[in-house]
Amino acid sequence: MDGEQHITDLATETEVRAAYDEGFEIRLEPVPHLWETGWPGGDEFRAVRRSTQRAENRSTGDEESAMPRITPNLWFDTRGEEAAKFYVSVFPNSKITNLLYYGEAGPRPAGTVLTVDFVLDGQPYTAINGGPEFTFDEAISLLVECADQEEVDYYWTKLSEGGEEGPCGWLKDKYGLSWQVSPAALGELLTDPDQGRAQRAMKAMLGMKKIDVAELYRAADAEA
């Protein structure tokens, strides 16, 4: 991770507080050398230096600190690893970075996949095989910002395969996760200072499933 450096494993509350005051972020996480045997019996505190900005802000008494990295966690029943492999096959510069398995403590059989950490073009995600209790819906979606129609076509085709096409550039993939596949041109047209042009683009978009960039411009530029 850019700017991240593992410093030490911490055992006491005093050490944790001291490290935080020095500008470290404190995480509670499994110890890496125990990952091979599954979920460890207990977690340990780890101090992670995210950036010099955090330390500098704290040393000067400035309470505003660098934004910590946000990692979306995606809940699956049993198909988290399969989904992660699919996603990294779709996006460039992507890979699976870690697998964590259930141990004897359960609640699922020891040796089955618990979490999958993966990166999609620099953005980290975690897939959790947590059970059937929760499923995806459209309240959460991932937005793919596309440079042009070629990218829209590519991501729309790949992500909707085995899933469900929706209106206005939305789709569900075969795992039920919602995506928005949106060209840069859409945002530019909808925020056009010419409100007539913006509204004509909006009306055209509302009639589409996959976004058609050329048709958006034709509608926007049509005579009122």
Side-chain angles (χ1 to χ4, degrees):
M1 235 178 249
D2 291 344
E4 181 175 294
Q5 179 185 3
H6 291 272
I7 306 299
T8 183
D9 292 334
L10 303 169
T12 70
E13 181 179 356
T14 299
E15 289 174 310
V16 170
R17 291 183 180 278
Y20 182 76
D21 288 339
E22 291 173 12
F24 290 89
E25 176 185 337
I26 308 303
R27 291 210 307 246
L28 182 65
E29 61 179 24
V31 182
H33 69 267
L34 294 177
W35 283 345
E36 297 177 0
T37 58
W39 185 260
D43 293 329
E44 292 186 15
F45 285 107
R46 165 156 297 151
V48 178
R49 174 86 72 186
R50 283 223 179 262
S51 70
T52 56
Q53 185 64 46
R54 180 183 295 274
E56 289 169 359
N57 286 340
R58 291 193 62 82
S59 66
T60 59
D62 186 353
E63 291 302 319
E64 183 179 354
S65 60
M67 178 71 181
R69 182 182 291 275
I70 295 174
T71 302
N73 280 235
L74 307 175
W75 183 288
F76 298 85
D77 181 5
T78 61
R79 301 174 73 187
E81 183 179 10
E82 177 189 326
K85 288 179 178 178
F86 170 66
Y87 298 142
V88 301
S89 76
V90 171
F91 293 91
N93 308 313
S94 302
K95 62 182 179 179
I96 291 175
T97 57
N98 188 61
L99 292 172
L100 183 65
Y101 299 88
Y102 282 98
E104 296 301 326
R108 290 189 154 185
T112 58
V113 174
L114 170 58
T115 62
V116 185
D117 296 328
F118 60 103
V119 175
L120 300 182
D121 200 16
Q123 169 63 49
Y125 294 84
T126 297
I128 305 172
N129 284 331
E133 293 84 358
F134 306 110
T135 56
F136 297 119
D137 64 28
E138 289 83 350
I140 291 292
S141 62
L142 301 180
L143 174 66
V144 183
E145 298 183 52
C146 300
D148 51 31
Q149 188 67 54
E150 184 178 2
E151 284 195 355
V152 170
D153 293 346
Y154 170 79
Y155 288 112
W156 185 268
T157 299
K158 290 290 187 179
L159 293 170
S160 65
E161 181 180 356
E164 178 183 343
E165 296 184 355
C168 306
W170 289 58
L171 63 86
K172 284 186 179 181
D173 66 27
K174 56 188 171 183
Y175 305 103
L177 180 61
S178 291
W179 298 80
Q180 299 180 60
V181 181
S182 179
L186 178 60
E188 294 169 4
L189 287 168
L190 296 183
T191 58
D192 194 300
D194 182 339
Q195 278 300 294
R197 195 165 185 263
Q199 290 305 303
R200 289 192 294 273
M202 171 67 82
K203 184 176 180 180
M205 183 270 292
L206 292 173
M208 298 176 181
K209 287 191 174 182
K210 181 179 72 173
I211 301 300
D212 184 326
V213 175
E215 183 56 36
L216 284 178
Y217 277 112
R218 277 193 292 270
D221 295 332
E223 293 294 333

